[in-house]
Each structure stands twice: as structure tokens, then as C-alpha cells.
Amino acid sequence: MKLKTKVSLILIFLVIAVCSLFAACKIGGKTWQEILGDAQYQRVTYYAAGGSFGNSKYVKDVYYYPDTPVISDFTIDPVTQTDYVFKGWYYVELDDEGNPKFANEADKARGIPVLTDEAVAFPLTIEKNQHLYFGAKWTRDYKLRYYLIDGSEDITLEVAVEGEEGVTKKVIVSAGGEIAERSFGSQDAITVSYANLPVTVSDATLLEYYVKNENDEYEQFTGSIRKPDVFDETDSDPHVAIYCRFVSGKWEMVRTASEARTMFLNLYSADLDNRNRYYITQDIDCSTNSAVPLKSGLVNSVIQGNGYTISNQKFQTTNPAVMSTYSIFGRITRDAEITGITFEGFEATVSSIRPNIRLYLYLFSADVEEGAVLEDVAFNNSKLTISSLPDDTIIYNIQKDDDGIFNTDTWLFGSGDFSALTYTNAELIINGQSIEVKINEN
């Protein structure tokens, strides 16, 4: 035998040996037999059955080494179908010759075989020269669709432009129109909260969610919406509807005691164009909140109370600074707006006052600038407690009149027009003693 021929044979055997070693180590996926075109080698044919693999193919052949585990999913080329949820792999029904059955030629072209009712139980192994056929089973994917409730004004959505990263466009939605959608996917329920509306609204703020009851009436709703257990497979758009009510403008909604406390902490903004705007949605009891520091600075936020009451919030200041001024609402500037709200049962406490200092202490506010909006505001059943007041400390605004009585406007509020504020039952306590005050109820 010629040397050249011997060398060629040695190289061929070497290649085969290396490939065999590679195949022996393979758990699943393509092997050297597939590469060399051995169609009789054991394999599984996976049909996407209406979906597709990540490579946009409808059918995927995977070759296996004998007696090795057969894979049940694909991380590189996942099987997916728009608007459907993958329910698992099922055996394909075979004809008398052992070939897959298809309902028609169109299904065959799209890789949609007839499936049996038998689900594939993984893991399983494949025998030598065996060929198995698996098809994906799908169920329609339920959607949660958000609609603008009847009777609403138009809103403007900020919607991403398809294919252009970071680019958005404005879309106007009128009453009854669809705002957004979310897929249930494999979830049994979707939690509907005010923080997770899956779209940005540029000119309004979400106020409430509603669902329709059996009488086709709107009912306010928060919580989890469950995906229906059974639905008509022929339904072209299986979904659950939820309806949204908005208020014009951008607001910080105040629905809870925690949100009310956050509001009291953030009543000033240096940027007037982006000052905080608070919208009260219901009566709120703040008795479980921790105390909020009394303010010595400015307030320029907007509080739209909508006729509701915020009650039982505590305020405090410890070791006040020399020549400082403290109150619940600080100094109300000309840019502030507080309307349609009742503050009930507030308690302000000032403690650890150092000897021989001078300061001002007010319960409601130190002053209100001309131009501020203070309308339909009530301040009831609240008190200011000054504990451990040294004899040589002077609080300029808390002084007795000629009759020895503290007048309301010397400690409840300071300078400016507070005529729109109504108040009842204000109480002043100094060194543990309740001090008699004049209450000229407005």
C-alpha cells in the first residue's frame, strides 16, 4: 500500500475516533452522526405546532446518543407562539406506517401535527434507532385589558415607537378606548395596583380602577384579578377587562396613612415648575404613623383635599434652635394651594427646650403670604404641647394678654390672612398644664 494512501486512511480513522469520543460525551443535541447525514440514528422530531423555535423554524430534529436523557425544552431556541401559552410536549399521532398525521397539507407545511392526549413525561431515554415525534400543545393566552371608563375626558399616552429604541409617540385615548394590555401568561392572577399601570399617561393621573359586575355596573376594585379557568377556545380575543378613571394633571395620589406622612414631609420644592401636587382620595386616619418634624421653612405645595379629612397625625420637634420658628405647615408661601380639606386631631409636641433661648412656636402655621390659596380648610380638635419649658426661655408669640389669657391667634397661627381657616377646640399645654385660651371659632 502506498504511503500516501496509508496516511489518508489514518487521518480518516482519527477523525472518526475523535467524533465518536465527542458523541459519547454528548447528553443531547446534534451529534457527529447528524453532521454526517445518518438519518437512521436515534432522534426526536419536535413540532412547534403553530408556534416556532427561536430560529423561526417549525420543526426541529434533535439527535441523541442511545440511552441518554431526552431534553424537554430549549434554552437557545425556545418554542413560542404569539398570544398563546405553552402547555407542554405531547406525543404525535402516527399512521399505520409510523409517520406523523396532519389534518391537512396546510398544517403539514406549518408543522402542526395531530396530537394525542398523552403528555410526554420527562425525563425519558431513547433506544437505538428509535425515532420519536413530539408536538407542542398550546392554550390561548388570556390578556388583562385596560380601558378608559365611560364618561372620561381624553387622555394622552406616551407609547414606544416599534423598532426605534428610546423613541415615543403620543396617542390620544377617548372614553371607552383601550389604554394598555398585560398578558397573564403562566400566571393564575395579576395584581392590579395604582403603581403598575403598564403605560405612561402624560397629562392625567390614575385615580381609580373599576370592574363590571353581573348587572353591568361599575364597581371600584383593587387587588388581584384571576385568569378564568375555562373559556371558549374559539374566542378570537380572550381577555378580562378593567376600567380606569383619571384626573387631569400630574398628581401625587394620597390614599394611605403612609402616603399622607410622606406628603407632610415634602411640602416644599425649590423647583416651582415641578412642585409637589397632592390629591387626597379618601378620609385617612394617621394614628399609626410615626411623628413628622415640625417645619421651620417654607411650604409651596398644592393639596387638593376634595372634601376629605386627614386625622390623628403627630408632629414633634426636639431641642429647637435659637431664634427659630416651628409649626405644622411652616411658612405658607404665595405659591401654595390648600383647598377642601379638614385636619382633625393633630398633635404637635416641642420638647427639650434649652434654657435662656428665644423662639416662636405655632400650631398650624407661622404665616401665610399674600397670594397663597387657602380655601375651605378646617383645623379641629388639635393641640400644641410644650414640655419642660425653662423659666428663662421666651416664646415670643405665646404671651398672656392683659387678662392673663392666651389668645388663639398668638400661638395657633401667625401673620397673614387666615380668615379662610376654620378651627375648633385648639388646646395649648405647657409644662403639663392645660392653658386657658380664647377660641374665637370662625
Side-chain angles (χ1 to χ4, degrees), residues 153-172:
E153 296 181 359
D154 293 353
I155 61 172
T156 304
L157 306 183
E158 296 283 346
V159 180
V161 176
E162 188 174 353
E164 298 186 39
E165 186 175 354
V167 179
T168 61
K169 62 180 179 180
K170 294 184 181 296
V171 177
I172 296 177

Side-chain angles (χ1 to χ4, degrees), residues 34-148:
E34 180 187 10
I35 295 171
L36 295 181
D38 184 357
Q40 299 304 311
Y41 196 71
Q42 51 279 351
R43 60 176 166 161
V44 176
T45 298
Y46 294 87
Y47 291 97
S52 66
F53 296 96
N55 54 14
S56 299
K57 293 183 178 179
Y58 302 134
V59 182
K60 186 178 184 69
D61 281 319
V62 179
Y63 292 76
Y64 293 91
Y65 196 77
D67 301 321
T68 57
V70 172
I71 65 173
S72 60
D73 59 4
F74 308 97
T75 55
I76 297 177
D77 295 328
V79 61
T80 59
Q81 183 175 184
T82 302
D83 294 330
Y84 283 80
V85 177
F86 177 70
K87 301 295 288 185
W89 294 104
Y90 281 72
Y91 285 98
V92 173
E93 189 172 338
L94 305 179
D95 60 22
D96 294 338
E97 297 179 356
N99 297 316
K101 286 185 178 180
F102 298 91
N104 49 56
E105 288 301 316
D107 281 357
K108 185 174 183 179
R110 294 176 56 205
I112 307 178
V114 178
L115 301 181
T116 69
D117 292 330
E118 184 181 358
V120 180
F122 295 98
L124 58 80
T125 56
I126 189 167
E127 300 176 359
K128 185 174 176 60
N129 296 326
Q130 190 176 21
H131 187 177
L132 300 177
Y133 301 90
F134 300 157
K137 188 172 184 179
W138 305 93
T139 184
R140 288 300 304 270
D141 184 12
Y142 253 108
K143 299 289 181 66
L144 174 60
R145 298 197 184 279
Y146 297 79
Y147 296 93
L148 185 59

Side-chain angles (χ1 to χ4, degrees), residues 1-21:
M1 182 180 294
K2 293 183 180 181
L3 179 59
K4 185 176 182 179
T5 303
K6 289 182 179 179
V7 172
S8 298
L9 290 173
I10 290 172
L11 289 174
I12 291 173
F13 286 129
L14 181 59
V15 170
I16 293 174
V18 171
C19 291
S20 298
L21 179 61

Side-chain angles (χ1 to χ4, degrees), residues 335-411:
D335 303 300
E337 299 178 29
I338 306 176
T339 60
I341 190 166
T342 297
F343 301 108
E344 181 83 22
F346 281 13
E347 296 183 16
T349 302
V350 182
S351 59
S352 301
I353 300 177
R354 289 171 291 164
N356 195 32
I357 67 170
R358 308 291 187 264
L359 72 158
Y360 294 84
L361 298 177
Y362 299 92
L363 180 54
F364 185 79
S365 172
D367 58 63
V368 55
E369 290 184 348
E370 184 178 353
V373 177
L374 193 64
E375 295 179 354
D376 193 21
V377 177
F379 191 73
N380 301 325
N381 303 308
S382 298
K383 63 184 177 181
L384 171 62
T385 299
I386 303 171
S387 60
S388 303
L389 179 65
D391 292 337
D392 55 358
T393 292
I394 295 178
I395 303 176
Y396 287 113
N397 61 297
I398 300 183
Q399 301 294 322
K400 295 179 181 179
D401 61 18
D402 293 338
D403 297 326
I405 298 175
F406 288 98
N407 191 285
T408 299
D409 59 10
T410 66
W411 64 277

Side-chain angles (χ1 to χ4, degrees), residues 160-200:
V161 176
E162 188 174 353
E164 298 186 39
E165 186 175 354
V167 179
T168 61
K169 62 180 179 180
K170 294 184 181 296
V171 177
I172 296 177
V173 178
S174 299
E178 184 176 341
I179 299 171
E181 69 174 32
R182 292 179 64 186
S183 170
F184 277 92
S186 59
Q187 303 176 86
D188 292 327
I190 291 178
T191 299
V192 177
S193 72
Y194 296 110
N196 67 2
L197 184 69
V199 71
T200 299

